[in-house]
Short mmCIF file of all heavy atoms in Angstrom, two decimals:
data_model
loop_
_atom_site.label_atom_id
_atom_site.label_comp_id
_atom_site.label_asym_id
_atom_site.label_seq_id
_atom_site.Cartn_x
_atom_site.Cartn_y
_atom_site.Cartn_z
N GLY S 22 4.83 17.56 -9.65
CA GLY S 22 4.60 16.26 -10.16
C GLY S 22 3.31 16.07 -11.01
O GLY S 22 3.32 15.44 -12.02
N TYR S 23 2.24 16.74 -10.47
CA TYR S 23 1.04 16.69 -11.19
C TYR S 23 1.11 17.48 -12.59
O TYR S 23 0.62 17.03 -13.63
CB TYR S 23 -0.14 17.25 -10.36
CG TYR S 23 -0.58 16.33 -9.25
CD1 TYR S 23 0.04 16.36 -8.00
CD2 TYR S 23 -1.65 15.42 -9.50
CE1 TYR S 23 -0.43 15.50 -7.00
CE2 TYR S 23 -2.05 14.56 -8.52
CZ TYR S 23 -1.41 14.63 -7.24
OH TYR S 23 -1.80 13.70 -6.30
N ALA S 24 1.74 18.62 -12.48
CA ALA S 24 1.92 19.37 -13.69
C ALA S 24 2.77 18.60 -14.69
O ALA S 24 2.47 18.60 -15.87
CB ALA S 24 2.67 20.73 -13.36
N GLY S 25 3.83 17.89 -14.27
CA GLY S 25 4.65 17.10 -15.11
C GLY S 25 3.90 15.99 -15.75
O GLY S 25 4.04 15.73 -16.93
N LEU S 26 3.01 15.36 -14.94
CA LEU S 26 2.21 14.29 -15.48
C LEU S 26 1.35 14.72 -16.62
O LEU S 26 1.27 14.07 -17.60
CB LEU S 26 1.36 13.67 -14.29
CG LEU S 26 0.26 12.71 -14.72
CD1 LEU S 26 0.85 11.43 -15.08
CD2 LEU S 26 -0.80 12.51 -13.55
N LEU S 27 0.62 15.83 -16.47
CA LEU S 27 -0.21 16.35 -17.47
C LEU S 27 0.49 16.84 -18.66
O LEU S 27 0.01 16.68 -19.79
CB LEU S 27 -1.14 17.43 -16.85
CG LEU S 27 -1.98 16.98 -15.68
CD1 LEU S 27 -2.82 18.11 -15.12
CD2 LEU S 27 -2.90 15.82 -16.14
N LYS S 28 1.67 17.37 -18.41
CA LYS S 28 2.51 17.83 -19.57
C LYS S 28 2.94 16.58 -20.42
O LYS S 28 2.91 16.58 -21.62
CB LYS S 28 3.77 18.51 -19.08
CG LYS S 28 3.56 19.93 -18.57
CD LYS S 28 4.93 20.48 -18.20
CE LYS S 28 4.87 21.80 -17.41
NZ LYS S 28 6.10 22.29 -16.93
N ASP S 29 3.30 15.54 -19.70
CA ASP S 29 3.70 14.28 -20.42
C ASP S 29 2.58 13.71 -21.32
O ASP S 29 2.89 13.03 -22.24
CB ASP S 29 4.13 13.23 -19.40
CG ASP S 29 5.45 13.52 -18.73
OD1 ASP S 29 6.14 14.41 -19.22
OD2 ASP S 29 5.74 12.90 -17.64
N HIS S 30 1.30 14.06 -20.93
CA HIS S 30 0.18 13.58 -21.74
C HIS S 30 -0.31 14.62 -22.69
O HIS S 30 -1.42 14.59 -23.27
CB HIS S 30 -0.91 13.08 -20.80
CG HIS S 30 -0.67 11.74 -20.22
ND1 HIS S 30 0.16 11.57 -19.06
CD2 HIS S 30 -1.00 10.47 -20.61
CE1 HIS S 30 0.27 10.23 -18.73
NE2 HIS S 30 -0.46 9.60 -19.68
N ASN S 31 0.44 15.70 -22.85
CA ASN S 31 0.18 16.82 -23.76
C ASN S 31 -1.20 17.44 -23.49
O ASN S 31 -1.99 17.78 -24.46
CB ASN S 31 0.18 16.24 -25.22
CG ASN S 31 1.60 15.72 -25.56
OD1 ASN S 31 2.62 16.42 -25.37
ND2 ASN S 31 1.63 14.57 -26.19
N LEU S 32 -1.49 17.56 -22.23
CA LEU S 32 -2.82 18.20 -21.87
C LEU S 32 -2.76 19.64 -21.43
O LEU S 32 -3.72 20.35 -21.34
CB LEU S 32 -3.46 17.33 -20.76
CG LEU S 32 -3.93 15.96 -21.19
CD1 LEU S 32 -4.29 15.19 -19.90
CD2 LEU S 32 -5.26 16.09 -21.97
N VAL S 33 -1.55 20.12 -21.13
CA VAL S 33 -1.38 21.46 -20.52
C VAL S 33 -1.25 22.51 -21.65
O VAL S 33 -0.37 22.41 -22.53
CB VAL S 33 -0.13 21.54 -19.63
CG1 VAL S 33 0.06 22.91 -19.04
CG2 VAL S 33 -0.28 20.48 -18.44
N SER S 34 -2.08 23.49 -21.55
CA SER S 34 -2.05 24.63 -22.54
C SER S 34 -1.41 25.84 -21.86
O SER S 34 -0.84 26.74 -22.57
CB SER S 34 -3.45 24.97 -23.11
OG SER S 34 -4.38 25.19 -22.06
N GLU S 35 -1.53 25.96 -20.54
CA GLU S 35 -0.95 27.10 -19.85
C GLU S 35 -0.90 26.75 -18.38
O GLU S 35 -1.76 25.96 -17.85
CB GLU S 35 -1.87 28.34 -20.02
CG GLU S 35 -1.38 29.62 -19.27
CD GLU S 35 -2.35 30.75 -19.35
OE1 GLU S 35 -3.34 30.67 -20.12
OE2 GLU S 35 -2.21 31.72 -18.61
N TYR S 36 0.09 27.22 -17.67
CA TYR S 36 0.13 26.97 -16.19
C TYR S 36 0.89 28.08 -15.52
O TYR S 36 1.79 28.73 -16.10
CB TYR S 36 0.57 25.57 -15.91
CG TYR S 36 2.11 25.33 -16.07
CD1 TYR S 36 2.96 25.35 -14.90
CD2 TYR S 36 2.75 25.24 -17.37
CE1 TYR S 36 4.30 25.17 -15.09
CE2 TYR S 36 4.05 25.05 -17.50
CZ TYR S 36 4.86 24.97 -16.35
OH TYR S 36 6.23 24.88 -16.47
N HIS S 37 0.65 28.24 -14.21
CA HIS S 37 1.41 29.08 -13.35
C HIS S 37 1.43 28.42 -12.01
O HIS S 37 0.44 28.10 -11.44
CB HIS S 37 0.72 30.46 -13.25
CG HIS S 37 1.33 31.23 -12.12
ND1 HIS S 37 2.55 31.80 -12.16
CD2 HIS S 37 0.74 31.55 -10.87
CE1 HIS S 37 2.76 32.45 -10.99
NE2 HIS S 37 1.67 32.29 -10.23
N ILE S 38 2.63 28.17 -11.54
CA ILE S 38 2.79 27.51 -10.23
C ILE S 38 3.45 28.45 -9.23
O ILE S 38 3.02 28.58 -8.08
CB ILE S 38 3.57 26.18 -10.34
CG1 ILE S 38 2.69 25.18 -11.09
CG2 ILE S 38 3.98 25.63 -8.98
CD1 ILE S 38 3.24 23.78 -11.22
N GLY S 39 4.43 29.18 -9.73
CA GLY S 39 5.03 30.16 -8.76
C GLY S 39 6.14 29.58 -7.99
O GLY S 39 6.26 28.42 -7.70
N THR S 40 7.09 30.47 -7.52
CA THR S 40 8.27 30.08 -6.81
C THR S 40 7.91 29.46 -5.45
O THR S 40 7.11 30.08 -4.62
CB THR S 40 9.16 31.33 -6.50
OG1 THR S 40 9.46 31.97 -7.77
CG2 THR S 40 10.45 30.88 -5.81
N GLY S 41 8.38 28.25 -5.25
CA GLY S 41 8.14 27.60 -4.01
C GLY S 41 6.89 26.80 -3.87
O GLY S 41 6.81 25.89 -3.08
N SER S 42 5.96 27.06 -4.73
CA SER S 42 4.67 26.27 -4.69
C SER S 42 4.79 24.92 -5.29
O SER S 42 3.99 24.02 -4.93
CB SER S 42 3.58 27.07 -5.41
OG SER S 42 3.30 28.28 -4.91
N GLY S 43 5.74 24.76 -6.23
CA GLY S 43 5.80 23.41 -6.89
C GLY S 43 6.20 22.33 -6.03
O GLY S 43 5.88 21.14 -6.31
N ASP S 44 6.87 22.61 -4.85
CA ASP S 44 7.22 21.51 -3.96
C ASP S 44 6.16 21.16 -3.00
O ASP S 44 6.30 20.21 -2.22
CB ASP S 44 8.42 21.96 -3.18
CG ASP S 44 9.72 22.13 -3.99
OD1 ASP S 44 9.80 21.46 -5.01
OD2 ASP S 44 10.56 22.91 -3.64
N CYS S 45 5.07 21.88 -3.04
CA CYS S 45 3.96 21.66 -2.14
C CYS S 45 3.37 20.25 -2.31
O CYS S 45 2.97 19.94 -3.44
CB CYS S 45 2.81 22.66 -2.40
SG CYS S 45 1.40 22.41 -1.43
N PRO S 46 3.24 19.43 -1.23
CA PRO S 46 2.66 18.14 -1.43
C PRO S 46 1.14 18.23 -1.55
O PRO S 46 0.46 18.93 -0.76
CB PRO S 46 3.10 17.38 -0.19
CG PRO S 46 3.35 18.46 0.89
CD PRO S 46 3.80 19.67 0.09
N ILE S 47 0.60 17.51 -2.50
CA ILE S 47 -0.90 17.59 -2.64
C ILE S 47 -1.48 16.49 -1.72
O ILE S 47 -1.19 15.26 -1.88
CB ILE S 47 -1.25 17.32 -4.11
CG1 ILE S 47 -0.77 18.50 -4.98
CG2 ILE S 47 -2.72 17.15 -4.22
CD1 ILE S 47 -1.32 19.82 -4.61
N ARG S 48 -2.23 16.85 -0.82
CA ARG S 48 -2.83 15.92 0.26
C ARG S 48 -4.20 15.51 -0.08
O ARG S 48 -4.68 14.59 0.58
CB ARG S 48 -2.68 16.63 1.66
CG ARG S 48 -1.34 17.03 2.00
CD ARG S 48 -1.18 17.64 3.36
NE ARG S 48 0.09 18.17 3.68
CZ ARG S 48 1.16 17.40 3.99
NH1 ARG S 48 1.03 16.14 4.10
NH2 ARG S 48 2.30 18.02 4.24
N TYR S 49 -4.83 16.08 -1.08
CA TYR S 49 -6.16 15.68 -1.39
C TYR S 49 -6.50 16.28 -2.78
O TYR S 49 -5.88 17.23 -3.23
CB TYR S 49 -7.10 16.27 -0.40
CG TYR S 49 -8.53 15.71 -0.38
CD1 TYR S 49 -8.70 14.26 -0.21
CD2 TYR S 49 -9.69 16.46 -0.57
CE1 TYR S 49 -9.94 13.77 -0.29
CE2 TYR S 49 -10.98 15.83 -0.56
CZ TYR S 49 -11.09 14.53 -0.44
OH TYR S 49 -12.34 13.99 -0.43
N ILE S 50 -7.41 15.59 -3.50
CA ILE S 50 -7.88 16.03 -4.78
C ILE S 50 -9.42 16.02 -4.67
O ILE S 50 -10.02 15.17 -4.13
CB ILE S 50 -7.43 15.19 -5.87
CG1 ILE S 50 -7.83 13.71 -5.81
CG2 ILE S 50 -5.92 15.30 -6.14
CD1 ILE S 50 -7.52 12.81 -6.98
N SER S 51 -10.01 17.04 -5.31
CA SER S 51 -11.52 17.12 -5.29
C SER S 51 -12.04 17.99 -6.43
O SER S 51 -11.35 18.85 -6.92
CB SER S 51 -11.92 17.67 -3.97
OG SER S 51 -13.34 17.87 -3.89
N PHE S 52 -13.27 17.70 -6.84
CA PHE S 52 -13.98 18.64 -7.75
C PHE S 52 -15.22 19.11 -7.10
O PHE S 52 -16.07 19.78 -7.74
CB PHE S 52 -14.32 17.89 -9.07
CG PHE S 52 -15.31 16.66 -8.90
CD1 PHE S 52 -16.63 16.85 -8.86
CD2 PHE S 52 -14.71 15.46 -8.86
CE1 PHE S 52 -17.45 15.81 -8.74
CE2 PHE S 52 -15.53 14.33 -8.82
CZ PHE S 52 -16.95 14.51 -8.67
N ASN S 53 -15.37 19.02 -5.80
CA ASN S 53 -16.47 19.45 -5.06
C ASN S 53 -15.97 20.50 -4.11
O ASN S 53 -15.23 20.21 -3.13
CB ASN S 53 -17.08 18.25 -4.27
CG ASN S 53 -18.35 18.65 -3.50
OD1 ASN S 53 -18.66 19.82 -3.37
ND2 ASN S 53 -18.98 17.64 -2.93
N SER S 54 -16.50 21.75 -4.23
CA SER S 54 -16.06 22.77 -3.39
C SER S 54 -16.48 22.71 -1.94
O SER S 54 -16.02 23.33 -1.02
CB SER S 54 -16.63 24.23 -3.96
OG SER S 54 -17.97 24.19 -3.94
N MET S 55 -17.43 21.73 -1.68
CA MET S 55 -17.86 21.46 -0.32
C MET S 55 -16.96 20.40 0.33
O MET S 55 -17.05 20.05 1.54
CB MET S 55 -19.31 20.96 -0.26
CG MET S 55 -20.28 21.97 -0.92
SD MET S 55 -20.42 23.47 0.06
CE MET S 55 -21.20 22.92 1.52
N ASP S 56 -16.06 19.82 -0.40
CA ASP S 56 -15.23 18.72 0.04
C ASP S 56 -13.76 19.11 -0.22
O ASP S 56 -13.08 18.58 -1.11
CB ASP S 56 -15.59 17.41 -0.73
CG ASP S 56 -14.70 16.25 -0.25
OD1 ASP S 56 -14.20 16.21 0.92
OD2 ASP S 56 -14.42 15.30 -1.10
N ILE S 57 -13.25 19.98 0.66
CA ILE S 57 -11.90 20.54 0.49
C ILE S 57 -11.12 20.31 1.84
O ILE S 57 -11.68 20.40 2.95
CB ILE S 57 -11.96 22.06 0.14
CG1 ILE S 57 -12.72 22.23 -1.12
CG2 ILE S 57 -10.55 22.52 0.08
CD1 ILE S 57 -12.11 21.68 -2.39
N ARG S 58 -9.87 19.95 1.61
CA ARG S 58 -8.97 19.82 2.81
C ARG S 58 -7.74 20.69 2.65
O ARG S 58 -7.55 21.29 1.58
CB ARG S 58 -8.58 18.37 3.03
CG ARG S 58 -9.75 17.46 3.14
CD ARG S 58 -9.37 15.96 3.25
NE ARG S 58 -10.43 15.00 3.13
CZ ARG S 58 -10.28 13.74 3.09
NH1 ARG S 58 -9.10 13.20 3.14
NH2 ARG S 58 -11.39 12.95 3.06
N THR S 59 -6.90 20.78 3.58
CA THR S 59 -5.65 21.50 3.41
C THR S 59 -4.80 20.85 2.30
O THR S 59 -4.73 19.71 2.14
CB THR S 59 -4.83 21.46 4.74
OG1 THR S 59 -5.64 21.95 5.73
CG2 THR S 59 -3.57 22.25 4.56
N ASP S 60 -4.24 21.73 1.40
CA ASP S 60 -3.37 21.35 0.30
C ASP S 60 -4.15 20.50 -0.68
O ASP S 60 -3.65 19.48 -1.20
CB ASP S 60 -2.12 20.59 0.83
CG ASP S 60 -1.29 21.46 1.63
OD1 ASP S 60 -1.30 22.72 1.45
OD2 ASP S 60 -0.54 20.99 2.47
N THR S 61 -5.34 20.90 -1.03
CA THR S 61 -6.21 20.25 -2.01
C THR S 61 -5.84 20.76 -3.46
O THR S 61 -5.73 21.97 -3.65
CB THR S 61 -7.65 20.34 -1.79
OG1 THR S 61 -8.02 19.69 -0.56
CG2 THR S 61 -8.57 19.88 -2.84
N LEU S 62 -5.78 19.85 -4.42
CA LEU S 62 -5.75 20.16 -5.81
C LEU S 62 -7.19 20.09 -6.35
O LEU S 62 -7.85 19.08 -6.30
CB LEU S 62 -4.87 19.16 -6.60
CG LEU S 62 -4.68 19.40 -8.09
CD1 LEU S 62 -4.10 20.68 -8.42
CD2 LEU S 62 -3.85 18.29 -8.69
N PHE S 63 -7.65 21.31 -6.73
CA PHE S 63 -9.13 21.43 -7.04
C PHE S 63 -9.35 21.42 -8.53
O PHE S 63 -8.69 22.13 -9.32
CB PHE S 63 -9.66 22.67 -6.42
CG PHE S 63 -11.17 22.89 -6.63
CD1 PHE S 63 -12.04 22.01 -6.06
CD2 PHE S 63 -11.58 23.97 -7.40
CE1 PHE S 63 -13.45 22.26 -6.26
CE2 PHE S 63 -12.99 24.13 -7.59
CZ PHE S 63 -13.84 23.27 -7.01
N VAL S 64 -10.32 20.61 -9.00
CA VAL S 64 -10.67 20.53 -10.38
C VAL S 64 -11.96 21.26 -10.60
O VAL S 64 -13.00 21.03 -10.02
CB VAL S 64 -10.79 19.10 -10.82
CG1 VAL S 64 -11.28 18.99 -12.22
CG2 VAL S 64 -9.46 18.31 -10.65
N CYS S 65 -11.94 22.17 -11.61
CA CYS S 65 -13.12 22.92 -12.03
C CYS S 65 -13.78 22.19 -13.19
O CYS S 65 -13.17 22.10 -14.24
CB CYS S 65 -12.74 24.35 -12.38
SG CYS S 65 -11.72 25.25 -11.23
N LYS S 66 -14.93 21.69 -13.01
CA LYS S 66 -15.56 20.91 -14.09
C LYS S 66 -17.12 21.16 -14.13
O LYS S 66 -17.66 21.62 -13.10
CB LYS S 66 -15.36 19.40 -13.85
CG LYS S 66 -16.07 18.85 -12.66
CD LYS S 66 -16.05 17.30 -12.57
CE LYS S 66 -16.98 16.75 -13.59
NZ LYS S 66 -18.45 16.82 -13.17
#
Side-chain angles (χ1 to χ4, degrees):
Y23 285 89
L26 171 71
L27 299 178
K28 286 180 189 176
D29 288 345
H30 284 82
N31 298 314
L32 288 167
V33 178
S34 56
E35 178 186 351
Y36 74 103
H37 165 72
I38 291 184
T40 304
S42 297
D44 294 333
C45 174
I47 297 301
R48 302 184 187 279
Y49 195 56
I50 57 174
S51 178
F52 60 84
N53 182 353
S54 61
M55 302 296 290
D56 179 30
I57 301 295
R58 305 176 190 176
T59 301
D60 296 334
T61 291
L62 179 58
F63 182 65
V64 175
C65 308
K66 67 169 284 287

